[in-house]
Amino acid sequence: LEYLRLSYCEGLVKLPQSSLSLSSLREIEIYGCRSLVSFPEVALPSKLKKIEISSCDALKSLPEAWMCDTNSSLEILEISGCDSLTYIAGVQLPPSLKRLKICHCDNIRTLTVEEGIQCSSGRRYTSSLLEHLEIYSCPSLTCIFSKNELPATLESLEVGNLPPSLKLLLVWGCSKLESIAEMLDNNTSLEKINISGCGNLQTLPSGLHNLCQLQEISIASCGNLVSSPEGGLPCAKLAMLAIYNCKRLEALPKGLHNLKSLQELRIGKGVALPSLEEDGLPTNLHVLLINGNMEIWKSMIERGRGFHRFSSLRQLTIMNCDDDMVSFPPKADDKGSGTVLPLPASLTYLRIEGFPNLERLTSSIVDLQNLTGLVLGNCPKLKYFPEKGLPSSLLQLSINRCPLIEEKCRKDGGQYWDLLTHIPRVEISDVEMSVDGREVREVREVREVQRGWRTILGLVNPYTLCSNSPTNEWVEVVD
């Protein structure tokens, strides 16, 4: 027997010891056994690679024999919907473990307690092979690896370090979590960090700048996160940085302009940051999103930086950044005088949204001969396109909540309709509120010439705003 699945065994209180003596067993899946309290305190079968436990409400603990067995082959441990668990291991995680996923466990407070529990051998090993750590919807989680038993108050938490082989760290929806780890200096493998919905998180681990393999950092909806890590960010391979809805964050990490490998920067809504450092942003960006950060936006305009320096920029999204801007691209000062700040010729996708006084797109838009996607949204006073029309390269034009320009683009007699005939897909839409308060898009005008436009344009704009998400985060379209 290589695969064992137990489901909805309502009377099962403890797994029989004989079930763990099956020498050929490779996978165990236990689902919906709501009376299951414990497992026998014996080592796992030597060939067992994966354990998945789900919806076992009464399960209080996992055997320490699983955690301390140096002959174990266990690589994957996934636990979900086990609300009586308060921790995963007393001392350590299994030394062979490569992937750990914990979700929807309402009372999990930490992964390892390390207090008053010892392996039978008296020796301690670390989970040196752990590569993927995923934790989400665990609202009682206060730390990940704790050196001491959790105190009654959360003011004196002491947090240990993450495993040095960890490649992916994903933590979502853990509202009490205060700290991820004390430091990350010992990690040479970490490639991705994704933290979201951790409203009590106050700091990021020190030593981020020493993570030579780190490629992506995404931080969202961490309302008490105050400061960026000391020492800045790693320069070697970091390609993507995204920060959303962190209302108390005081500044972006220092030295962003030195990140020569950074290709994607997303500064989302709810991040009230001051103006940029004098050196600004790295000019090698491919994707730039700025949403609701007026100071950063204006510092780029007032210092005459503009976007033309970003010679590799392909996707540019500007949202809710300037209540006074009348024309786009803007002019070189806040009074609307001076020369128009040019956009990089490399742009393939441009999104402009949430400018209440924007009236016109200037003629420099026409010069963007690589532009294939243009999105205009929530600009109630927008009424003028450039006299020469829109770029001949456009494959998609999307307009919503811009009533004046929408009227001019109507198929039945709109002033600008003839300027749109070369565009394979034109979408003009209104967004209305439904009874339950959600946004519902009603498409009024769509003209589609070429089939399969999503396949073509999916490469142009692989992200869309999820309007029903509580954090209004950007999510990848899988359409």
Short mmCIF file of all heavy atoms in Angstrom, two decimals, residues 38-67:
data_model
loop_
_atom_site.label_atom_id
_atom_site.label_comp_id
_atom_site.label_asym_id
_atom_site.label_seq_id
_atom_site.Cartn_x
_atom_site.Cartn_y
_atom_site.Cartn_z
N SER A 38 -5.45 12.77 17.95
CA SER A 38 -3.99 12.59 17.95
C SER A 38 -3.59 11.43 17.06
O SER A 38 -4.41 10.63 16.59
CB SER A 38 -3.49 12.34 19.38
OG SER A 38 -4.04 11.13 19.88
N PHE A 39 -2.27 11.35 16.87
CA PHE A 39 -1.64 10.26 16.13
C PHE A 39 -0.76 9.46 17.10
O PHE A 39 -0.31 9.99 18.13
CB PHE A 39 -0.77 10.80 15.00
CG PHE A 39 -1.53 11.48 13.91
CD1 PHE A 39 -1.82 12.83 13.98
CD2 PHE A 39 -1.97 10.76 12.81
CE1 PHE A 39 -2.52 13.47 12.97
CE2 PHE A 39 -2.67 11.38 11.79
CZ PHE A 39 -2.96 12.73 11.87
N PRO A 40 -0.48 8.21 16.79
CA PRO A 40 0.44 7.45 17.66
C PRO A 40 1.84 8.06 17.66
O PRO A 40 2.30 8.57 16.64
CB PRO A 40 0.43 6.04 17.04
CG PRO A 40 -0.06 6.22 15.64
CD PRO A 40 -0.99 7.39 15.67
N GLU A 41 2.48 8.02 18.78
CA GLU A 41 3.81 8.62 18.95
C GLU A 41 4.87 7.65 18.45
O GLU A 41 5.67 7.10 19.21
CB GLU A 41 4.03 8.97 20.43
CG GLU A 41 5.23 9.87 20.69
CD GLU A 41 5.09 11.26 20.09
OE1 GLU A 41 4.07 11.91 20.31
OE2 GLU A 41 6.04 11.66 19.38
N VAL A 42 4.87 7.43 17.14
CA VAL A 42 5.85 6.53 16.50
C VAL A 42 6.41 7.23 15.26
O VAL A 42 5.79 8.15 14.72
CB VAL A 42 5.23 5.17 16.12
CG1 VAL A 42 4.78 4.42 17.35
CG2 VAL A 42 4.06 5.36 15.14
N ALA A 43 7.57 6.76 14.83
CA ALA A 43 8.20 7.34 13.64
C ALA A 43 7.38 7.02 12.40
O ALA A 43 6.60 6.06 12.36
CB ALA A 43 9.61 6.80 13.48
N LEU A 44 7.55 7.82 11.37
CA LEU A 44 6.84 7.64 10.12
C LEU A 44 7.48 6.53 9.28
O LEU A 44 8.68 6.25 9.44
CB LEU A 44 6.85 8.94 9.32
CG LEU A 44 6.08 10.11 9.92
CD1 LEU A 44 6.39 11.38 9.15
CD2 LEU A 44 4.59 9.83 9.92
N PRO A 45 6.73 5.89 8.39
CA PRO A 45 7.33 4.93 7.46
C PRO A 45 8.47 5.58 6.67
O PRO A 45 8.37 6.74 6.28
CB PRO A 45 6.16 4.55 6.54
CG PRO A 45 4.93 4.81 7.35
CD PRO A 45 5.26 5.99 8.21
N SER A 46 9.50 4.86 6.41
CA SER A 46 10.73 5.43 5.84
C SER A 46 10.55 5.98 4.44
O SER A 46 11.32 6.84 4.01
CB SER A 46 11.84 4.37 5.84
OG SER A 46 11.45 3.25 5.05
N LYS A 47 9.52 5.52 3.70
CA LYS A 47 9.31 5.97 2.33
C LYS A 47 8.25 7.07 2.22
O LYS A 47 8.00 7.58 1.12
CB LYS A 47 8.92 4.80 1.43
CG LYS A 47 10.02 3.76 1.27
CD LYS A 47 9.58 2.65 0.32
CE LYS A 47 10.68 1.60 0.15
NZ LYS A 47 10.24 0.50 -0.75
N LEU A 48 7.63 7.43 3.33
CA LEU A 48 6.53 8.40 3.30
C LEU A 48 7.05 9.79 2.91
O LEU A 48 7.93 10.34 3.54
CB LEU A 48 5.85 8.48 4.67
CG LEU A 48 4.56 9.30 4.71
CD1 LEU A 48 3.46 8.62 3.92
CD2 LEU A 48 4.11 9.52 6.15
N LYS A 49 6.46 10.36 1.84
CA LYS A 49 6.91 11.66 1.32
C LYS A 49 5.96 12.80 1.64
O LYS A 49 6.38 13.95 1.77
CB LYS A 49 7.06 11.58 -0.21
CG LYS A 49 8.07 10.56 -0.71
CD LYS A 49 9.49 11.04 -0.48
CE LYS A 49 10.48 10.09 -1.14
NZ LYS A 49 11.89 10.53 -0.90
N LYS A 50 4.65 12.50 1.77
CA LYS A 50 3.67 13.58 1.88
C LYS A 50 2.58 13.24 2.88
O LYS A 50 2.06 12.12 2.91
CB LYS A 50 3.03 13.86 0.51
CG LYS A 50 1.98 14.96 0.53
CD LYS A 50 1.39 15.20 -0.86
CE LYS A 50 0.34 16.30 -0.84
NZ LYS A 50 -0.22 16.56 -2.19
N ILE A 51 2.24 14.23 3.72
CA ILE A 51 1.10 14.13 4.64
C ILE A 51 0.21 15.35 4.42
O ILE A 51 0.70 16.49 4.45
CB ILE A 51 1.55 14.07 6.11
CG1 ILE A 51 2.39 12.83 6.37
CG2 ILE A 51 0.34 14.09 7.04
CD1 ILE A 51 2.93 12.74 7.79
N GLU A 52 -1.06 15.10 4.22
CA GLU A 52 -2.03 16.18 4.06
C GLU A 52 -3.18 15.95 5.05
O GLU A 52 -3.83 14.91 5.02
CB GLU A 52 -2.56 16.22 2.64
CG GLU A 52 -3.50 17.38 2.36
CD GLU A 52 -3.93 17.46 0.90
OE1 GLU A 52 -3.29 16.77 0.07
OE2 GLU A 52 -4.90 18.18 0.61
N ILE A 53 -3.41 16.92 5.92
CA ILE A 53 -4.44 16.82 6.95
C ILE A 53 -5.37 18.02 6.81
O ILE A 53 -4.92 19.16 6.83
CB ILE A 53 -3.83 16.79 8.37
CG1 ILE A 53 -2.79 15.67 8.48
CG2 ILE A 53 -4.91 16.63 9.43
CD1 ILE A 53 -1.98 15.72 9.76
N SER A 54 -6.66 17.77 6.66
CA SER A 54 -7.59 18.86 6.41
C SER A 54 -8.89 18.64 7.15
O SER A 54 -9.41 17.52 7.24
CB SER A 54 -7.86 18.96 4.89
OG SER A 54 -8.74 20.00 4.60
N SER A 55 -9.43 19.73 7.72
CA SER A 55 -10.75 19.74 8.37
C SER A 55 -10.84 18.69 9.47
O SER A 55 -11.83 17.95 9.57
CB SER A 55 -11.86 19.53 7.33
OG SER A 55 -11.83 20.54 6.35
N CYS A 56 -9.83 18.64 10.31
CA CYS A 56 -9.83 17.78 11.50
C CYS A 56 -9.87 18.71 12.71
O CYS A 56 -8.82 19.04 13.30
CB CYS A 56 -8.63 16.86 11.51
SG CYS A 56 -8.59 15.68 10.11
N ASP A 57 -11.06 19.13 13.09
CA ASP A 57 -11.23 20.19 14.08
C ASP A 57 -10.68 19.85 15.45
O ASP A 57 -10.26 20.74 16.19
CB ASP A 57 -12.73 20.53 14.23
CG ASP A 57 -13.32 21.08 12.95
OD1 ASP A 57 -12.54 21.53 12.09
OD2 ASP A 57 -14.56 21.07 12.80
N ALA A 58 -10.69 18.58 15.84
CA ALA A 58 -10.31 18.20 17.20
C ALA A 58 -8.82 17.91 17.34
O ALA A 58 -8.34 17.72 18.48
CB ALA A 58 -11.12 16.99 17.66
N LEU A 59 -8.08 17.88 16.24
CA LEU A 59 -6.66 17.52 16.30
C LEU A 59 -5.88 18.56 17.11
O LEU A 59 -5.87 19.74 16.78
CB LEU A 59 -6.09 17.43 14.89
CG LEU A 59 -4.63 16.97 14.78
CD1 LEU A 59 -4.46 15.55 15.31
CD2 LEU A 59 -4.15 17.08 13.34
N LYS A 60 -5.22 18.09 18.19
CA LYS A 60 -4.56 19.02 19.11
C LYS A 60 -3.06 19.13 18.88
O LYS A 60 -2.45 20.15 19.21
CB LYS A 60 -4.83 18.59 20.55
CG LYS A 60 -6.29 18.74 20.96
CD LYS A 60 -6.50 18.37 22.42
CE LYS A 60 -7.96 18.59 22.82
NZ LYS A 60 -8.18 18.23 24.24
N SER A 61 -2.44 18.05 18.36
CA SER A 61 -0.99 18.10 18.19
C SER A 61 -0.55 17.04 17.19
O SER A 61 -1.28 16.08 16.91
CB SER A 61 -0.27 17.90 19.52
OG SER A 61 -0.54 16.60 20.04
N LEU A 62 0.66 17.22 16.68
CA LEU A 62 1.30 16.23 15.84
C LEU A 62 2.41 15.57 16.65
O LEU A 62 3.03 16.22 17.51
CB LEU A 62 1.88 16.89 14.58
CG LEU A 62 0.88 17.62 13.69
CD1 LEU A 62 1.60 18.28 12.52
CD2 LEU A 62 -0.19 16.67 13.18
N PRO A 63 2.70 14.30 16.39
CA PRO A 63 3.70 13.59 17.20
C PRO A 63 5.10 14.20 17.08
O PRO A 63 5.55 14.52 15.96
CB PRO A 63 3.68 12.17 16.64
CG PRO A 63 2.37 12.04 15.94
CD PRO A 63 2.06 13.41 15.41
N GLU A 64 5.79 14.33 18.20
CA GLU A 64 7.18 14.78 18.17
C GLU A 64 8.08 13.74 17.50
O GLU A 64 9.14 14.07 16.98
CB GLU A 64 7.68 15.09 19.58
CG GLU A 64 7.24 16.43 20.10
CD GLU A 64 7.61 17.57 19.16
OE1 GLU A 64 8.79 17.69 18.82
OE2 GLU A 64 6.70 18.32 18.76
N ALA A 65 7.62 12.48 17.49
CA ALA A 65 8.41 11.43 16.81
C ALA A 65 8.52 11.72 15.32
O ALA A 65 9.51 11.36 14.68
CB ALA A 65 7.75 10.06 17.04
N TRP A 66 7.52 12.39 14.74
CA TRP A 66 7.60 12.77 13.33
C TRP A 66 8.67 13.84 13.13
O TRP A 66 9.34 13.87 12.11
CB TRP A 66 6.26 13.34 12.87
CG TRP A 66 5.12 12.39 12.82
CD1 TRP A 66 5.10 11.10 13.27
CD2 TRP A 66 3.83 12.65 12.27
NE1 TRP A 66 3.87 10.54 13.07
CE2 TRP A 66 3.06 11.46 12.46
CE3 TRP A 66 3.23 13.74 11.68
CZ2 TRP A 66 1.74 11.36 12.05
CZ3 TRP A 66 1.91 13.65 11.27
CH2 TRP A 66 1.17 12.47 11.45
N MET A 67 8.78 14.71 14.09
CA MET A 67 9.63 15.89 13.94
C MET A 67 11.11 15.59 14.17
O MET A 67 11.98 16.24 13.61
CB MET A 67 9.18 16.99 14.91
CG MET A 67 7.69 17.29 14.88
SD MET A 67 7.14 17.86 13.25
CE MET A 67 5.35 17.65 13.40
#
